[in-house]
Amino acid sequence: MNRDREQVLAFAAMFQALGCVQQLAETGRYDTEDGEALLAAIFAIDSPDAESLYPPARMRSGLKLAAQHLDRNPGDAVMRMGITVLRLERRLMTHAKLAGELRERIADIERARSALGDRHETVLARLSDAYLQTVSNLQPRVMVHGVPHLLQQERVVHQIRALLLAAIRAAAMWRHVGGSGWRPVLAPPQMAGDGAEFGGRLNRTWQLILRLVCFSHDTEGQMLGVSRVVVDRVARFSAGRAQKRRPPTGPPSAGTGAI
């Protein structure tokens, strides 16, 4: 099994889950096809590899999102959630009691899921409660930015928490297959130490993403595409050039909820 490929798949899965969260926060809906494999992965607790959990053909949205959002300022809403998810996953894995409780709750929910399906409202509500009773006890809390009245709807909150649990599952797989977080990727050169080392680390992360793009093809044999703008920026980073930081972006009249 190709380790680089597995790391990219797990990383893409985390972004795909967070993309669904942002869709819910802004519109009250999400692409259920994108979310289906992610929710199923929550229950595959002991899966040893990323590719069986996150088949490349079903991670296309996550791959594109990863490329798009790594190209943005860390203040971007999805980026902020991603940073927090990686921190939470790390803390959860060092908190044996909460991690054990979460595992037990997921095993218990599995019985309902087998009868009702991954996206049934009862299953999502129970996953939401499992997240609330375990992960929400850790800091920092995930801050979700979106339309205020949507973030107050029980259905939306249940779906968001279930997908955040899916994002944490993907982050756990990312660590399992050798991922080590993305602090060096997000830190500006003056904070990351030597500029050449920063450029090298950033370029290695981009190489992982672009490598999976090259591995994965759609039905017409065309590559999944990262835009030419993104590829050009990879090249500029590789050459050690600095990129101006852009201000945080978000939907107009956005609300914020600690989930």
Side-chain angles (χ1 to χ4, degrees), residues 17-31:
L18 296 177
C20 290
V21 167
Q22 196 60 38
Q23 288 174 28
L24 279 163
E26 294 177 4
T27 69
R29 296 182 296 275
Y30 72 100
D31 188 322

Side-chain angles (χ1 to χ4, degrees), residues 2-257:
N2 185 294
R3 208 66 162 174
D4 289 348
R5 181 184 178 99
E6 288 201 275
Q7 288 180 25
V8 174
L9 282 168
F11 201 63
M14 184 181 73
F15 268 98
Q16 190 158 306
L18 296 177
C20 290
V21 167
Q22 196 60 38
Q23 288 174 28
L24 279 163
E26 294 177 4
T27 69
R29 296 182 296 275
Y30 72 100
D31 188 322
T32 53
E33 186 174 343
D34 280 353
E36 189 172 5
L38 302 169
L39 292 171
I42 295 172
F43 299 94
I45 297 174
D46 297 317
S47 178
D49 66 274
E51 194 154 1
S52 62
L53 276 185
Y54 308 117
R58 303 188 70 180
M59 294 299 116
R60 295 182 177 188
S61 295
L63 177 63
K64 291 178 181 179
L65 278 172
Q68 292 166 5
H69 286 282
L70 281 175
D71 189 45
R72 296 180 183 177
N73 184 285
D76 175 85
V78 173
M79 290 286 279
R80 284 198 300 269
M81 287 193 290
I83 295 168
T84 303
V85 163
L86 285 176
R87 292 175 66 188
L88 283 173
E89 181 275 332
R90 195 69 170 172
R91 292 185 179 182
L92 180 64
M93 293 303 104
T94 60
H95 199 301
K97 183 178 179 180
L98 280 181
E101 181 182 345
L102 179 58
R103 177 182 283 261
E104 290 176 3
R105 285 175 176 270
I106 290 172
D108 187 51
I109 298 168
E110 168 66 25
R111 288 186 282 274
R113 176 229 180 194
S114 298
L116 301 172
D118 295 320
R119 292 186 282 114
H120 193 277
E121 60 183 18
T122 299
V123 174
L124 293 174
R126 292 184 65 183
L127 286 173
S128 172
D129 186 60
Y131 181 96
L132 183 63
Q133 298 302 323
T134 56
V135 180
S136 287
N137 288 316
L138 301 171
Q139 293 295 328
R141 300 281 291 277
V142 178
M143 303 301 293
V144 178
H145 297 262
V147 179
H149 78 86
L150 291 176
L151 295 176
Q152 296 170 4
Q153 292 181 15
E154 186 178 74
R155 174 190 61 83
V156 171
V157 172
H158 285 170
Q159 291 175 327
I160 284 175
R161 287 185 181 138
L163 287 162
L164 286 176
L165 198 55
I168 287 175
R169 176 67 184 99
M173 178 55 75
W174 158 258
R175 303 273 189 193
H176 177 70
V177 297
S180 58
W182 57 6
R183 179 181 292 270
V185 175
L186 296 180
Q190 63 268 28
M191 294 177 62
D194 180 72
E197 180 184 2
F198 166 74
R201 289 179 179 178
L202 180 60
N203 188 42
R204 284 194 294 275
T205 298
W206 278 107
Q207 285 174 351
L208 295 182
I209 293 174
L210 294 176
R211 191 172 296 134
L212 186 60
V213 172
C214 292
F215 287 157
S216 303
H217 296 73
D218 64 19
T219 55
E220 297 178 353
Q222 301 295 319
M223 283 197 307
L224 287 178
V226 178
S227 70
R228 173 49 49 189
V229 171
V230 172
V231 175
D232 287 345
R233 286 185 177 174
V234 175
R236 287 204 297 274
F237 273 121
S238 300
R241 298 176 186 174
Q243 180 187 22
K244 291 183 179 180
R245 299 180 69 185
R246 294 192 291 272
T249 59
S253 303
T256 302

